[in-house]
Amino acid sequence: MRCTGQGQVFFAESAGHLHPVELQGDAICVSAENVLAFDESLQYEVRRIEGHGIPGGALFTMQFQGTGTIVVKTHGTPVVLPVTPTTFVDSNAVVAWSAAAQVIVSSQVRMRRNAYPGHTGEGVNLQFRAAPGNFVVVQPYEV
């Protein structure tokens, strides 16, 4: 591929979808494998969410704060879910979430499918708890 002219060019593997996210002083957490690029003006911190049953033993995320752009890559069109008051998400499909949301790793013993509300049949879910206005972004793809 050859590119000429002025502007920005982003490349993603396997025809992934790219989503520029503009921050205006707020904060967001993004799964580290979904971060393609970000402005140097943003403050960031690498975080580790540990939990029994998570592949590799942990989920690495990056928390961004400030004013600037993050380019997030997804497999397929992502879905934004409100956190009301607890939202369960497959740990392999999570892309990003409000930095103010509380994240809890939820491991289940598979005695029967849908053993309790929010159970998806997966061995490990993430629970997001927060005040109204918080969100979690998932993709229709599991790593």
Side-chain angles (χ1 to χ4, degrees), residues 84-143:
T84 57
T86 300
T87 300
F88 292 83
V89 174
D90 182 338
S91 63
N92 291 311
V94 70
V95 175
W97 60 89
S98 303
Q102 178 187 16
V103 183
I104 299 167
V105 176
S106 174
S107 299
Q108 297 92 26
V109 176
R110 291 190 197 186
M111 296 177 80
R112 66 171 214 229
R113 194 166 181 87
N114 296 326
Y116 61 86
H119 181 67
T120 64
E122 297 288 337
V124 178
N125 288 318
L126 297 177
Q127 292 181 40
F128 291 89
R129 296 181 182 171
N134 286 278
F135 62 88
V136 60
V137 180
V138 295
Q139 60 188 345
Y141 176 85
E142 291 186 8
V143 181

Side-chain angles (χ1 to χ4, degrees), residues 21-29 38-45 63-70 99:
V21 177
E22 298 287 331
L23 293 183
Q24 299 295 323
D26 41 352
I28 188 172
C29 292
F38 58 92
D39 289 338
E40 67 179 335
S41 61
L42 292 170
Q43 296 138 7
Y44 68 94
E45 176 183 343
Q63 179 173 316
F64 295 95
Q65 186 169 1
T67 301
T69 304
I70 308 160

Side-chain angles (χ1 to χ4, degrees), residues 55-77:
L59 174 66
F60 287 92
T61 66
M62 295 181 74
Q63 179 173 316
F64 295 95
Q65 186 169 1
T67 301
T69 304
I70 308 160
V71 180
V72 177
K73 61 180 180 171
T74 64
H75 295 278
T77 304

